């Protein structure tokens, strides 16, 4: 019920992304009056854009393997993902009338691949359950008496709910609402927040690409390669060369380790096997064959099928003179180093690391120093690779915050 004296909702959810909407759904299911406040003209803006090329909602791998994707925050997230993991996410989407399927990589998609039908169905169900929406409401923090300040097109307004769920996202894609402005507002209240850093991001190469390489290959994909990891394992995939460096699925999967190495050592080196189906001795034998009047580029294309952007990467790594040394050339094809100087800016990243520390929260995701205020989603201090892991954890933490808020509200005053 709304407060009859002020008209304020019992619960305010600030942030209309997946975590906030799930918190609102959970609160409404408990019979609690809830309003979702969002700075954008409509909720779910980042959700819509992220799903434009194919809405990856979760992943079908086994729960224990799934949990490892959250690194050193897996222990904190385990109870929430045990309660609302991949299977529950799929069942929840089916409840919205949208079927799902598992792709060849194990990723799970809605039939039709798009996020817009899913969001429409979800918002319709939320409104039918009594959830209200206040858009173009940018949260400005608290008044001294605890009221929530919002900037709106009509001027500043103050709302005084009994409970608050903050689901404000991280710091990437600011134009869609996740701008990280909330960090200072929480720090002013003494809440410990780990600095926001780019995750699932591209990187700048040290010293930059040559002008010739940029002109010929910027924007092109590099396919059928494998990253050589420090533990001796290999990760196949593909990535894209940019004018600044590299980005794409293989780079995103390794971005946390690469970013941390740069912070620790000043740079990171990504080693790539450009021809993972060939062993080095075979490459050396073919490269060493006489080439006659043919250029080296023609020789490499003829003998081992290496051409285009891969040949360009070799030239960037070895220089023109190094290409004439067969042993070094074969070794570099199997272990090409790309030196990385810095991650791309946070606003370009798919997601962010850092956020509200779990130590500041109780088991219901309520801030210990701000009773009645809960946090959920990407604004918490965790990160995960792409592949459905980000969305699943946002939904799971949103649900947990909604349950925690409903439980706290039911306790005797």
């Amino acid at each position: 019920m709304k407060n009859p004296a002020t008209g304020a909702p019992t619960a305010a959810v600030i942030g209309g992304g997946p975590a906030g909407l799930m918190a609102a759904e959970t609160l409404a299911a408990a019979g609690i009056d809830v309003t979702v406040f969002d700075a954008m003209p409509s909720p779910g803006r980042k959700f819509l854009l992220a799903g434009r090329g194919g809405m990856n909602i979760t992943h079908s791998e086994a729960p224990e393997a799934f949990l490892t994707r959250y690194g050193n925050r897996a222990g904190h997230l385990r109870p929430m993902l045990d309660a609302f993991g991949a299977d529950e996410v799929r069942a929840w989407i089916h409840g919205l009338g949208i079927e799902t399927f598992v792709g060849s990589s194990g990723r799970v998609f809605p039939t039709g691949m798009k996020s817009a039908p899913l969001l429409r169905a979800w918002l319709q169900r939320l409104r039918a359950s009594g959830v209200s929406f206040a858009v173009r409401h940018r949260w400005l923090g608290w008044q001294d008496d605890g009221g929530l300040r919002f900037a709106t097109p009509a001027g500043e307004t103050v709302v005084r709910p009994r409970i608050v769920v903050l689901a404000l996202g991280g710091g990437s894609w600011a134009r869609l609402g996740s701008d990280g402005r909330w960090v200072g507002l929480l720090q002013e209240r003494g809440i410990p927040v780990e600095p926001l850093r780019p995750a699932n991001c591209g990187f700048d190469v040290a010293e930059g690409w040559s002008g010739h390489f940029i002109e010929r290959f910027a924007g092109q994909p590099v396919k059928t390669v494998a990253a050589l990891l420090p533990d001796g394992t290999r990760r196949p995939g593909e990535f894209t060369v940019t004018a600044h460096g590299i980005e794409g699925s293989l780079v995103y999967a390794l971005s946390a380790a690469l970013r941390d190495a740069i912070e620790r050592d000043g740079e990171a080196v990504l080693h790539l096997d450009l021809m993972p189906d060939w062993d080095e001795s075979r490459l050396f034998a073919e490269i060493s064959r006489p080439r006659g009047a043919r250029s080296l580029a023609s020789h490499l294309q003829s003998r081992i099928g290496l051409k285009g952007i891969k040949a360009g990467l070799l030239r960037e790594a070895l220089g023109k003179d190094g290409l004439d040394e067969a042993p070094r050339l074969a070794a570099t094809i199997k272990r090409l180093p790309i030196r990385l100087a810095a991650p791309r800016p946070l606003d370009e990243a798919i997601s962010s690391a850092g956020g509200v520390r779990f130590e500041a929260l109780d088991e219901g995701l309520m801030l210990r120093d701000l009773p009645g205020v809960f946090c959920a989603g990407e604004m918490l201090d965790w990160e995960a690779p792409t592949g459905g892991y980000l969305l699943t954890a946002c939904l799971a933490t949103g649900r947990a915050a909604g349950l925690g808020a409903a439980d706290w509200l039911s306790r005797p005053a």
Side-chain angles (χ1 to χ4, degrees):
M1 297 291 292
K2 283 182 166 49
N3 184 320
T6 65
T10 301
V13 174
I14 306 178
L21 296 180
M22 181 57 77
E25 180 172 301
T26 305
L27 286 162
I32 297 168
D33 174 65
V34 56
T35 296
V36 176
F37 296 86
D38 196 86
M40 304 303 289
S42 59
R45 286 295 183 95
K46 186 175 178 181
F47 180 80
L48 281 175
L49 186 60
R52 184 171 294 175
M55 185 70 243
N56 180 200
I57 53 177
T58 191
H59 203 287
S60 63
E61 67 186 345
E64 283 304 315
F66 192 102
L67 194 63
T68 65
R69 308 301 183 180
Y70 300 93
N72 60 5
R73 291 292 181 252
H76 294 286
L77 292 169
R78 178 187 284 274
M80 291 170 269
L81 291 169
D82 284 348
F84 201 80
D87 290 343
E88 289 77 14
V89 168
R90 294 188 73 182
W92 170 78
I93 290 177
H94 296 163
L96 289 169
I98 295 174
E99 293 303 311
T100 61
F101 70 95
V102 180
S104 58
S105 64
R107 299 184 180 201
V108 179
F109 301 89
T111 302
M113 298 290 288
K114 300 300 183 184
S115 54
L118 193 162
L119 182 61
R120 281 197 300 269
W122 193 5
L123 293 175
Q124 182 178 0
R125 187 165 75 180
L126 286 168
R127 291 187 173 101
S129 70
V131 175
S132 299
F133 291 85
V135 296
R136 294 189 173 91
H137 278 58
R138 177 175 294 280
W139 184 51
L140 301 176
W142 290 275
Q143 283 194 323
D144 291 341
D145 64 0
L148 300 172
R149 298 172 53 220
F150 291 95
T152 79
E156 186 172 322
T157 188
V158 177
V159 179
R160 295 180 175 84
R162 291 181 60 191
I163 52 175
V164 180
V165 177
L166 301 177
L168 290 153
S172 63
W173 298 16
R175 69 188 186 281
L176 301 178
S178 296
D179 56 18
R181 294 186 187 182
W182 55 267
V183 171
L185 299 176
L186 266 61
Q187 288 176 330
E188 288 173 1
R189 292 276 174 146
I191 305 303
V193 180
E194 288 295 314
L196 298 181
R197 300 179 293 162
N200 293 296
C201 58
F203 290 84
D204 293 339
V205 295
E207 301 176 7
W209 302 121
S210 68
H212 175 74
F213 184 80
I214 293 172
E215 184 179 348
R216 287 201 61 191
F217 299 116
Q220 291 193 22
V222 184
K223 299 185 177 183
T224 320
V225 297
L228 309 178
L229 306 185
D231 63 3
T233 59
R234 302 157 61 85
R235 187 181 187 105
E238 61 182 73
F239 66 97
T240 299
V241 164
T242 71
H244 304 283
I246 56 175
E247 64 180 24
S249 58
L250 180 60
V251 177
Y252 300 155
L254 305 173
S255 63
L258 294 171
R259 179 200 64 220
D260 292 349
I262 291 170
E263 291 178 354
R264 181 183 66 247
D265 304 326
E267 72 169 21
V269 182
L270 175 62
H271 288 98
L272 296 171
D273 184 345
L274 297 182
M275 300 193 66
D277 296 332
W278 287 60
D279 62 47
E280 189 173 334
S281 59
R282 181 185 172 199
L283 281 171
F284 175 69
E286 290 297 326
I287 292 169
S288 299
R289 291 178 181 272
R291 59 182 169 125
R294 287 185 303 181
S295 68
L296 178 61
S298 297
H299 181 63
L300 292 177
Q301 181 173 347
S302 173
R303 301 310 313 179
I304 62 174
L306 188 143
K307 60 182 179 178
I309 195 168
K310 289 185 177 181
L313 286 168
L314 279 173
R315 183 179 290 270
E316 292 292 295
L318 294 175
K320 183 178 180 180
D321 294 338
L323 295 173
D324 291 326
E325 303 173 22
R328 187 179 176 195
L329 183 56
T332 305
I333 289 171
K334 296 300 290 181
R335 191 177 176 81
L336 178 108
I338 300 181
R339 293 175 53 237
L340 304 174
R344 293 296 297 163
L346 175 59
D347 192 45
E348 295 181 16
I350 292 175
S351 59
S352 57
V356 177
R357 296 179 60 183
F358 280 96
E359 291 78 9
L361 303 159
D362 69 9
E363 63 278 2
L365 298 184
M366 184 175 74
L367 289 167
R368 299 181 189 277
D369 292 339
L370 291 177
V373 179
F374 299 76
C375 297
E378 201 179 329
M379 68 181 294
L380 301 177
D381 181 21
W382 60 274
E383 63 179 307
T386 57
Y389 309 105
L390 291 165
L391 179 57
T392 300
C394 283
L395 294 171
T397 58
R399 177 179 179 273
L403 291 172
D407 176 69
W408 187 82
L409 197 60
S410 70
R411 297 174 190 175

